[in-house]
Every structure is written in C-alpha cells, then in structure tokens.
Amino acid sequence: MASHANQDRALSFDSVATQYAAARPGYPPALFDAVEELAGRALADADVLDCGAGTGIATRLLRERGARVVALEPGAGMGAELRRAEPEVPLVRGEGNRLPFAAGSFDLIAYAQAWHWTDPARSVPEALRVLRPHGVLALWWNQADVRVPWVAAEDARLAPFTRSFPTTVAELFAPFPVQVATREITWSRRITVEEHLRNLGTHSHFVVMDPVERAALLDANRTALARLFPDGELDEPYRCGLTVVRAATGHASTTR
C-alpha cells in the first residue's frame, strides 16, 4: 500500500466487515462479459487471483463464471467474512505490493474496488511477474453515477467528507511496458433508502469519521432522501469502470 496512513485506512474496513458484506453492491454480468472480451478468454477454467478480495463479493461472481479463484486479503475481519461466505476458496493474507505467489501462477489478476490501495510502482511489476504469458490484470470500480440528479445532489451534500476515484486508471500505466484497454458499464440496483445509507456507511471516509459526526451526516442525508423517495425505495445507479492491462513488448497503448 502506498503509505502507512493509506494502509491504516484500508484496514479500517475490518471494523465494518459484516455491514460491508451485506450492503455493498455486486457487479453486473456485463462487466464480466467485458473482462472476458478484453482478456481474450473465458473466465471458465481460468486461474484467477482476487486481490483485496474483501468479503468475497467479486470472488463469488468470478466463481459463478467458472473461474478457479484464490483470494488475497490483508484484513482479518474482511477475510473472516469471506471465509464464511466462500469456505471453499483458498484465502491468503497479503496485499498487492508484495504478492506471495510464484511467477506465472495466474491467468488473471482482479482488483475489485481495491487497486487504489496499492502503490503502482510496486503492484504493477508484481502483477506482471505473477501473471502467465498472455495473462491480464483487470481493475474495476463501481462509482455512483452523478449524472443522475438525486445522486449529484447527494454527492454535493457529502462532498467535503467523501473520496472518489477515476472511472479508469489507464494513465497510471504509462511508465510500464503494457497495453491498456478500458470500458464503462452502467447499471443500477433497486434497494431501500436504509440499505443505501448502510452502503454509504461502509466507505472508508465514513468508517474513519468521528461516530457522532458520521451519524449526524448520514441522518441529514436520510432526511433529504426521505423527501425524494417517500416509499422508502430507490434505484442506486452506478458507472462501473473497467481497466484491463496486459504485458507488451513495445510501448503501451490505450483503447476504448
């Protein structure tokens, strides 16, 4: 991880691991279709390393596509939730800057909502070392779709306390001999206002916040959402940004 402070923040998820497992969104089938297309192979029968696997949300979906998954997770609390949810998956304690695997071990390395906790100067060479020839590194994030008016309004209310990430991170790979491709998948899920608030409460900027301040902020947001959604339900919209990276012999290139 990029710094001690960053590491502490990443490990803060352990304190909300059960809530994280219950409240965080999954990923749409179209995301995994795009991963397969850009990787040039099916996930079925692929050896996949799920880095920063958390509570196993992506782990489960990768397995449903037929992948043989090994989960890598630094946090004890998150790892315990993953073990409960996916007891058959090999679980290794560790993180992406120092992958505890032999060279050429995997067909695909996945980072679902986790790449930003690494130091690319270390995690990129480690991924390239551990991948097999023609293997790929796949990074993706769900991000709230602020093109939707109520999401933009919520983002403005919470902006001083939140942290966002780029839809893609292709520019971070410019120093490396790789080829990069990106996609974006838009999707949504129908949930209750309370489920949405529990999801927000699992994001690191809220986890590390003073509990009284966090409760006040989320209560104010609850009041605003109750006016917009009096029936207590909403469509939570996402833009899921995917970046797929493979080793190249020449200069890196970017496609969309």
Side-chain angles (χ1 to χ4, degrees):
M1 297 171 188
S3 68
H4 179 71
N6 206 35
Q7 184 176 36
D8 288 346
R9 186 160 173 166
L11 294 176
S12 71
F13 293 114
D14 282 336
S15 66
V16 293
T18 300
Q19 181 178 340
Y20 191 109
R24 281 290 183 110
Y27 304 97
L31 169 68
F32 299 99
D33 293 342
V35 170
E36 291 180 327
E37 179 188 345
L38 296 178
R41 63 157 298 157
L43 287 166
D45 296 322
D47 290 311
V48 176
L49 175 63
D50 185 8
C51 282
T55 63
I57 294 172
T59 305
R60 173 179 58 82
L61 295 171
L62 287 163
R63 291 188 74 211
E64 288 177 358
R65 300 290 289 228
R68 292 183 295 270
V69 184
V70 174
L72 183 76
E73 169 54 39
M78 298 287 270
E81 285 294 326
L82 189 152
R83 175 66 69 208
R84 280 191 281 274
E86 300 291 333
E88 297 180 359
V89 173
L91 174 60
V92 179
R93 291 288 298 279
E95 43 96 358
N97 293 334
R98 294 180 297 275
L99 293 176
F101 303 100
S105 295
F106 296 98
D107 300 304
L108 185 142
I109 297 175
Y111 280 85
Q113 310 289 137
W115 178 256
H116 52 280
W117 299 116
T118 76
D119 174 5
R122 300 162 67 190
S123 56
V124 174
E126 276 291 270
L128 295 176
R129 177 184 67 81
V130 169
L131 283 170
R132 291 171 180 154
H134 310 297
V136 300
L137 170 64
L139 327 170
W140 64 82
W141 288 265
N142 279 323
Q143 294 216 72
D145 192 344
V146 295
R147 297 170 299 185
V148 177
W150 77 261
V151 178
E154 178 180 73
D155 187 66
R157 282 193 299 274
L158 303 179
F161 308 95
T162 59
R163 174 184 178 187
S164 61
F165 303 99
T167 304
T168 68
V169 290
E171 66 279 0
L172 296 179
F173 293 93
F176 303 99
V178 295
Q179 294 178 331
V180 181
T182 65
R183 290 286 173 83
E184 181 179 280
I185 297 93
T186 57
W187 72 287
S188 67
R189 62 173 184 165
R190 185 75 175 174
I191 58 172
T192 68
V193 169
E194 289 303 316
E195 287 168 333
H196 174 69
L197 292 167
R198 285 195 290 273
N199 174 23
L200 289 177
T202 67
H203 289 251
S204 63
H205 38 268
F206 290 114
V207 175
V208 301
M209 189 182 291
D210 175 79
V212 174
E213 184 180 15
R214 177 175 63 239
L217 187 64
L218 292 177
D219 283 346
N221 196 46
R222 176 183 288 106
T223 299
L225 293 175
R227 289 194 294 266
L228 290 172
F229 306 106
D231 64 352
E233 293 190 343
L234 54 81
D235 287 314
E236 193 178 65
Y238 287 102
R239 303 172 71 176
C240 187
L242 168 66
T243 301
V244 173
V245 182
R246 66 174 72 246
T249 55
H251 294 292
S253 64
T254 302
T255 61
R256 293 185 185 274

